[in-house]
Amino acid sequence: MKTIDDLGDLRGKRVLVRSDFNVPLDGTTITDDGRIRAALPTLKRLTDAGAKVIVTAHLGRPKGTVDPAFSLAPVAERLGELLGAPVTLAPDTIGAGAKAAAADLADGQVLLLENIRFDARETAKDDGERAALAEELAGLADVFVSDGFGVVHRKQASVYDVAKVLPSAVGSLVQTEVEALRRATVEPERPYVVVLGGSKVSDKLGVIANLITKADRLLIGGGMVFTFLAAKGYRVGNSLLEEDQVDTVKGYLETAADRGVQIVLPTDIVVAPEFKADSPATVVAADDMPTDQIGLDIGPEAGEQFRAAILDAKTVVWNGPMGVFEFDAFAGGTKAVAQALVDATAEGAFTIVGGGDSAAAVRTLGFDENGFSHISTGGGASLEFLEGKTLPGIDVLN
Ligand code: ADP
Ligand code: MG
C-alpha cells in the first residue's frame, strides 16, 4: 500500500483527496463534526507540503441530481475553521466552475468540490459511466489520495475508478484504519477474543462465519443472542428472534465445536415486559426466560463472565452493543464490556471497537476514546473487513 510519503515532493502539485464528510446535519447545522476532524491530519499534511489540495466527498443521498439540501457548504465552512484557513467551495461538482476554481488554487490552498453524488455517474453500475467521471476528476490533479475510510468498501468513481487513472496513495486515516484492522484479523496475537452484539444476527452472518474459524473465543450478546439461545433449545419469550436463522446458527455452533472455538453465551439476561426505558427490569437465567418478557441486555453474571474472557485476551475485537444501551436500565452489559476493553488495553492488549452504534455507545456512556487501541470510523467498511472481504477502494491501491 503506497502512502503519501511515496508520492514524493508535493510542492505545487495538484492533489485530489477523497474524504468522508458524510456528517449528520440539522438543516445546515453540523451536529457531529467527527468525520471532518478525522480528515484533518491528511489535509494538514498536504497543505504543509505546499500542495494544491482538491477534496471530493459526498453528503447524504441526493440520488444523482443537484439538490441544495445536500450541499457541502456547511462542511466547507467548518473545515475552514478547523484548518485555520478558508476553504473554497466549488460551485459545482466537476463543471466549468470546479475547473476554474481548481486552476486558481495557490500552493497550500484547499478547494472542496460540490457533493460528488450530485453526479449520477459516481455510483453508476456501468463501469464506463464511472470511468468517464473518474477521467474528469483525474483531469484536475496530478495524484490521488484515498482517505475516506467510510467509503472504501464502495466501487464508486471517486473512490475506486479514479485510483486506476492517477498515481495513488492512502491517506493517514485509511492507513491507520487498515493497519489496526489487519493487526486484529491477520495473525492476531492470541488469545483472540471477539465480542459480537447489536440488533440482528442476519446483519452479521458474514462476520460470524469468518471469525468463527479465526478467533479463540466468541462472546455473544445483544439482540442476536436470542437466536443463539433458541438454537440451543431455550425459550426466549418475546425477545428479538430470527426464526429463519436458527438453523444457520446451529451450524455455527457445530463448526465452532469442531474447531475448538469457544462460543460463550450469557448465563443471565435482563428482561422487561415492554421495550421501554422505564419498563421494570429483572434478571433471569438464560435457560429459563419467562414467556411474556423481552430480553433487553445481558445480565450482571454474564458481564463478569465476558469481562474475565476479555481480560484474558491479547487481541479483542468488539462489534455491536450488548443490550439496548440507549435506555439506562439496559446499558449495564455494554458498559461492562467497554470497561473490560479499557482495562485489557491498559494491560497491553490490542483492542478494537467497530460498528457505528458501538462507537456511539462508547462515547455516550462516557468512556474516553483513548482508552481503546482503535475505534473504527467506518461502520460498513469495518464490518466488511471483519468478514474477510477485499475492499475495492483498498484493493485498487495495491
Ligand atoms: P453496530 O452499529 O455497532 O454494528 P448494530 O447496528 O448491529 O450495531 O446494533 C445496534 C443496536 O442494537 C442498538 O440500537 C441496540 O439498542 C440494539 N440492541 C442491542 N441489544 C438488543 C436487544 N436485546 N434487543 C433489541 N435490540 C438490541
Ligand atoms: Mg448500526
Side-chain angles (χ1 to χ4, degrees), residues 132-154:
L133 174 57
E135 285 290 348
E136 287 186 43
L137 287 170
L140 299 179
D142 304 305
V143 294
F144 174 62
V145 172
S146 179
D147 207 32
F149 185 70
V151 287
V152 288
H153 59 311
R154 306 271 187 222

Side-chain angles (χ1 to χ4, degrees), residues 1 149 152-153 174-175 177-186 192 206-207 210-211 214 352 376 378-391 394:
M1 215 164 46
F149 185 70
V152 288
H153 59 311
V174 170
Q175 190 183 353
E177 289 272 9
V178 169
E179 280 172 3
L181 287 161
R182 282 203 181 136
R183 180 164 166 192
T185 50
V186 185
Y192 175 26
V207 178
N210 186 39
L211 293 179
K214 300 204 164 121
I352 290 196
S376 183
S382 66
L383 272 183
E384 292 202 10
F385 209 105
L386 296 178
E387 285 177 45
K389 287 190 184 163
T390 49
L391 310 185
I394 302 289

Side-chain angles (χ1 to χ4, degrees), residues 130-372:
R130 289 197 322 274
L133 174 57
E135 285 290 348
E136 287 186 43
L137 287 170
L140 299 179
D142 304 305
V143 294
F144 174 62
V145 172
S146 179
D147 207 32
F149 185 70
V151 287
V152 288
H153 59 311
R154 306 271 187 222
K155 198 171 178 179
Q156 296 176 344
S158 70
V159 178
Y160 172 79
D161 301 85
V162 73
K164 291 182 155 181
V165 189
L166 286 175
S168 304
V170 286
S172 57
L173 175 63
V174 170
Q175 190 183 353
T176 307
E177 289 272 9
V178 169
E179 280 172 3
L181 287 161
R182 282 203 181 136
R183 180 164 166 192
T185 50
V186 185
E187 294 180 26
E189 204 182 335
R190 294 179 184 276
Y192 175 26
V193 169
V194 176
V195 193
L196 287 177
S199 49
K200 294 196 291 187
V201 78
S202 53
D203 288 345
K204 297 187 182 166
L205 292 175
V207 178
I208 302 171
N210 186 39
L211 293 179
I212 216 163
T213 63
K214 300 204 164 121
D216 298 304
R217 285 193 183 125
L218 229 59
L219 318 181
I220 310 281
M224 70 163 68
V225 82
F226 303 104
T227 307
F228 277 81
L229 293 175
K232 294 200 57 156
Y234 302 162
R235 282 178 288 114
V236 298
N238 294 328
S239 309
L240 197 65
L241 169 66
E242 289 175 276
E243 303 256 21
D244 55 341
Q245 301 299 343
V246 171
D247 283 336
T248 310
V249 168
K250 278 185 185 157
Y252 291 151
L253 293 172
E254 282 165 22
T255 308
D258 286 349
R259 296 196 169 242
V261 171
Q262 208 187 338
I263 294 195
V264 183
L265 299 177
T267 49
D268 59 350
I269 302 285
V270 181
V271 299
E274 287 177 277
F275 192 100
K276 268 186 168 167
D278 57 357
S279 194
T282 31
V283 177
V284 300
D287 59 1
D288 192 23
M289 289 182 62
T291 49
D292 58 349
Q293 306 242 338
I294 312 170
L296 295 173
D297 194 11
I298 62 169
E301 190 180 275
E304 285 300 321
Q305 183 193 6
F306 283 19
R307 176 181 171 80
I310 289 165
L311 286 175
D312 183 47
K314 284 278 189 307
T315 306
V316 187
V317 170
W318 172 31
N319 176 286
M322 294 292 101
V324 185
F325 72 92
E326 295 91 337
F327 301 153
D328 239 11
F330 311 107
T334 304
K335 275 187 197 157
V337 162
Q339 187 62 52
L341 259 79
V342 168
D343 295 341
T345 313
E347 286 180 22
F350 185 70
T351 60
I352 290 196
V353 183
D357 291 291
S358 313
V362 160
R363 284 191 287 265
T364 56
L365 296 176
F367 288 89
D368 178 358
E369 293 183 61
N370 296 317
F372 306 85

